[in-house]
Amino acid sequence: MEKITSRENAKIKYACRLASSGAFRRSEGKFLAEGRKLCPELCRDAALETLFCTEAALEKCPELAGLPGEHYLVEDHVADKLADVGTHQGVFGIFRTPVHTLDEAKTGGRYLALERVQDPGNVGTLLRSAAAFGFDGVLLSDGCASVFAPKTLRASMGAAVRVPVMEVGAMPAAIAALRAKNITCLAAALYQSQPLSAARPGYPGGVCVVIGSEGQGLTEETIAACSGTVRIPMTDRVESLNAGIAGSILLWHFREESL
């Protein structure tokens, strides 16, 4: 296995650019992930092209040697450059980004739509919840946190590639496309909304839960495009829930019926 000793190595600089730039990830169709558990998990649904690991990581997890792609040993100071956080596990992988489109949405499916949800932790949490509760895909509008940024990937725990993620641009048009397939689209909003308990979990044509940004919620145009609105009843002790928690409650309500 070839060993990389320089932080200025071209492969290392390329990997770092994938980690730091969403535009570069999109242009290359690749992303960088890190973690002894996360990288093998991602291999189940995404193609691993290159694996970087320290000698200590390989000794601790010899099964890493069985993963696909090109493998490189890296010295600790090189791993420090690849790492998104100060404390890392010495395992990094470059993966090909799975590509999904709105055309894949089907009548009878369950979907989550995020409009301008900017916090990577919330986006990752919602991807994980969508996978846990049997959803068929996640729609992301412009302005959402990048699914394949390091922080989002960590929060999603591999769900970023297990659930189809569709970048749809403007959300109202995407909602219209779903409704044309007889999918009921329910906006999470307070104004003129019904409590979640009044919304039946199952819809014959399928359902899409639509969640807005942490600070401003959904745009009026997106709410108007939806079939209806729902809210989570709660006490007056707090003003609101964050998007990750609120969305997870909604996803549980509309979970796959067999769960």
Side-chain angles (χ1 to χ4, degrees), residues 10 14 28 41 52 73 86 92 119 129 184 230 237-238:
Y14 178 85
E28 294 294 297
E41 189 72 21
F52 304 99
L73 282 175
F92 311 86
D119 181 81
S129 294
T184 299
V230 293
R237 295 176 184 174
V238 294

Side-chain angles (χ1 to χ4, degrees), residues 15-247:
C16 290
R17 192 173 175 192
L18 287 175
S20 63
S21 172
F24 189 63
R25 285 192 294 273
R26 284 189 294 273
S27 68
E28 294 294 297
K30 300 175 186 179
F31 64 92
L32 180 73
E34 64 177 87
R36 285 195 301 265
K37 185 176 180 180
L38 181 58
C39 286
E41 189 72 21
L42 291 171
C43 280
R44 295 166 53 186
D45 298 282
L48 175 63
E49 288 196 346
T50 309
L51 183 73
F52 304 99
C53 55
T54 62
E55 289 185 1
L58 196 57
E59 288 175 5
K60 191 166 188 175
C61 301
E63 62 272 18
L64 292 170
L67 295 179
E70 296 182 333
H71 290 200
Y72 296 91
L73 282 175
V74 294
E75 292 192 346
D76 289 344
H77 71 282
V78 177
D80 291 342
K81 182 171 182 176
L82 288 169
D84 181 58
V85 292
T87 303
H88 58 81
Q89 298 175 335
V91 181
F92 311 86
I94 294 176
F95 293 83
R96 286 202 294 271
T97 307
V99 178
H100 300 279
T101 68
L102 191 57
D103 292 338
E104 298 175 38
K106 60 185 185 296
T107 301
R110 288 178 176 81
Y111 298 94
L112 167 66
L114 304 181
E115 184 179 46
R116 301 183 307 178
V117 178
Q118 298 173 339
D119 181 81
N122 282 336
V123 172
T125 294
L126 288 166
L127 288 169
R128 192 175 179 186
S129 294
F133 300 132
F135 275 64
D136 298 295
V138 179
L139 286 63
L140 264 64
S141 79
D142 292 334
C144 282
S146 172
V147 170
F148 298 104
K151 290 180 181 178
T152 316
L153 283 169
R154 280 199 303 275
S156 78
M157 293 294 291
V161 298
R162 285 198 296 271
V163 179
V165 177
M166 313 161 197
E167 296 185 353
V168 299
M171 189 57 72
I175 296 298
L178 293 181
R179 294 190 65 184
K181 298 182 181 185
N182 203 32
I183 297 171
T184 299
C185 298
L186 298 174
L190 295 176
Y191 181 67
Q192 292 184 336
S193 60
Q194 62 177 334
L196 186 57
S197 57
R200 65 181 189 272
Y203 291 85
V207 67
C208 178
V209 177
V210 189
I211 297 168
S213 70
E214 295 84 0
Q216 299 174 344
L218 293 167
T219 61
E220 293 182 6
E221 293 81 5
T222 292
I223 294 173
C226 288
S227 314
T229 56
V230 293
R231 69 180 185 277
I232 300 170
M234 56 187 182
T235 70
D236 59 2
R237 295 176 184 174
V238 294
E239 182 178 338
S240 63
L241 298 171
N242 78 18
I245 293 174

